[in-house]
Amino acid sequence: MKHVKELLGGNLRQYGMVLALILLIAFFQWQTGGKVLTPTNAQNILNGNSYVLVMAIGMLFVIITGQIDLAPGSVAAVVGICMAMALRGGETWYLIIGIPVGLVVGVACGVVIGRKLLKRGMGRIPSVVVGVVAGVVIGAAVAVLFSFLIHTFGIPWWGGVLIGLGVGGVIGAWQGAWLAFVGVPGFITTLAGQMLFRGLDQFIGKAESISVPEEIQFIGGGYLPEWGPNTGLNNSTVLLGILAAVVLVVMQVRRRARLAKTGSVMPPLWPLIVRLVVMVAVLGYLTFLFGSGRVNTSFPVTGCILVVIVLVYNFISNRTPLGRSVYAVGGNRAAAQLTGINTKKVYFLSMFNMSLLAAVAAIMFIGRSHSTGPSDGVGWELDAIAAVFIGGAAVSGGVGTVMGAIIGGLVMAVLNNGLQLMNVGSDMTQIIKGLVLLVAVAFDLYSKAQGKPSIIGSLMRGLHPRREMAGAPRAEELRPDLSARTAQRARDDAAGSASGATFVSTQVVDGPSASPDVAAGQDPPTSSGDDPDASTTER
């Protein structure tokens, strides 16, 4: 067991869900006759579930803060229909887009101008008046300009992407404001948002399907291009795999170098070498798997978007004050407030970020589907929540990692895919997914009660942790025996009382200078039953 801990970096828990994922893939590979680990199926799994994994990252930060978001599916539906209708155009769309853009720009410019004038010594009322007038003028000019450009040239595909992200950001600000500044709990806020935005999607879209341009389709269903000589594999995928392997090795080596530089205790070198060999081998196999598919297929574009988002949010959660604030608020809100963390800001940004990533997920999904539909976004939030909890997040907040959420999402994706390949009906699929989520949360609560932070610890420890702890020293063995300590204290009190009596008698007969202890420059003995600090103060 010692060598296993060294091999896994001293932490068995972080690899528990990875082991569960590997076992699940092996099971379905066996049951489907080898249909799971094929290039086409691997590409389908990643293409068909990337949007859920993106939403799981946003949901992770919401759950870490101790809240929940039930509306990202409805938000994604609204984003998708707004983007598709904007790209399709119409008689009034130049006004629908131009006026909000002008309003946002006008308000921003007015606030900035007013604050600058106030800092330069202008009175409050004149500063406000000048800011409002400047904002109205600038906003009107921007609205007219945007409306004219859209009416004349239409909206390019990248403009549609920006519109979708903007709609997601506005909705996120709406929900974040209700939670952070009004104080409505996240469950109620997002439950209302789920109904509100689902109705808004039906009102705008009129239950019709609207196609999107080829550029959006490439974002949701495209692959890395082919170039260079014929190597039997997609060269873009091969280059991506080599780059990932190099970055992984460099990061591990730099981490060990930092430990050596700071004088920390260096772990053995052989576990690091073994881990790197295994990880590079896995990356090599994935590179071969995604690069050896059908002609004109390779690693999906949605996979590239997911990798970038994972790297960015992993950095935010581990290396930035904002990430640490999210964990602090989820762990103990009152303590976080006492340390100076703006909890309202954290709640607002978590909800805003969730809706923004829901917009990204909507763009990816609609691109893969080539059009919008009335059922877009239905049940997406449930898959995202399940991925986060299966990945090790705590129900009470304060615990969870980006990689854990991704692994949990992959577990759900492989489960869905494997059941479909086994021709399991949708009814049984939903039952199994519900049971998996229920067991995941139950394991989380159980493991926390046993002193472990997440389901991953329970998976590695087993169902009977008390049996494993049977050989550990009991709490009574870790502290002195109470009866023995009481007896020893009584003996010390008696000895101290006798010493004190001798000291007092010596003082009376010979005076203070005659005491052997005082003459030797030592403090007189004190009773061990007295408070040492109090005795020192008296002296």
Side-chain angles (χ1 to χ4, degrees), residues 329-347:
V329 171
N332 191 323
R333 179 182 178 182
Q337 287 179 325
L338 292 176
T339 59
I341 295 175
N342 189 340
T343 57
K344 293 183 178 180
K345 177 182 176 182
V346 172
Y347 285 136

Side-chain angles (χ1 to χ4, degrees), residues 350-431:
S350 65
M351 285 294 180
F352 176 83
N353 176 70
M354 177 70 259
S355 294
L356 191 64
L357 289 182
V360 176
I363 296 170
M364 296 165 63
F365 177 82
I366 292 173
R368 185 171 184 266
S369 302
H370 296 181
S371 64
T372 64
S375 62
D376 291 350
V378 175
W380 291 9
E381 59 275 350
L382 302 181
D383 289 334
I385 293 171
V388 172
F389 283 136
I390 292 175
V395 179
S396 57
V399 176
T401 62
V402 173
M403 290 308 302
I406 294 299
I407 295 172
L410 289 176
V411 168
M412 295 298 293
V414 172
L415 184 63
N416 271 327
N417 180 260
L419 293 174
Q420 290 176 1
L421 293 176
M422 293 175 62
N423 296 322
V424 177
S426 60
D427 50 354
M428 289 301 301
T429 299
Q430 295 299 322
I431 291 173

Side-chain angles (χ1 to χ4, degrees), residues 53-54 57 303-318 402-403 406:
L53 299 178
V54 169
I57 296 174
C304 297
I305 297 173
L306 177 64
V307 169
V308 172
I309 292 176
V310 167
L311 293 177
V312 170
Y313 280 88
N314 190 65
F315 176 81
I316 291 174
S317 63
N318 295 325
V402 173
M403 290 308 302
I406 294 299

Side-chain angles (χ1 to χ4, degrees), residues 10-24:
N11 188 358
L12 297 175
R13 294 176 296 171
Q14 64 181 343
Y15 293 96
M17 191 53 62
V18 177
L19 177 61
L21 177 61
I22 293 173
L23 293 178
L24 192 63

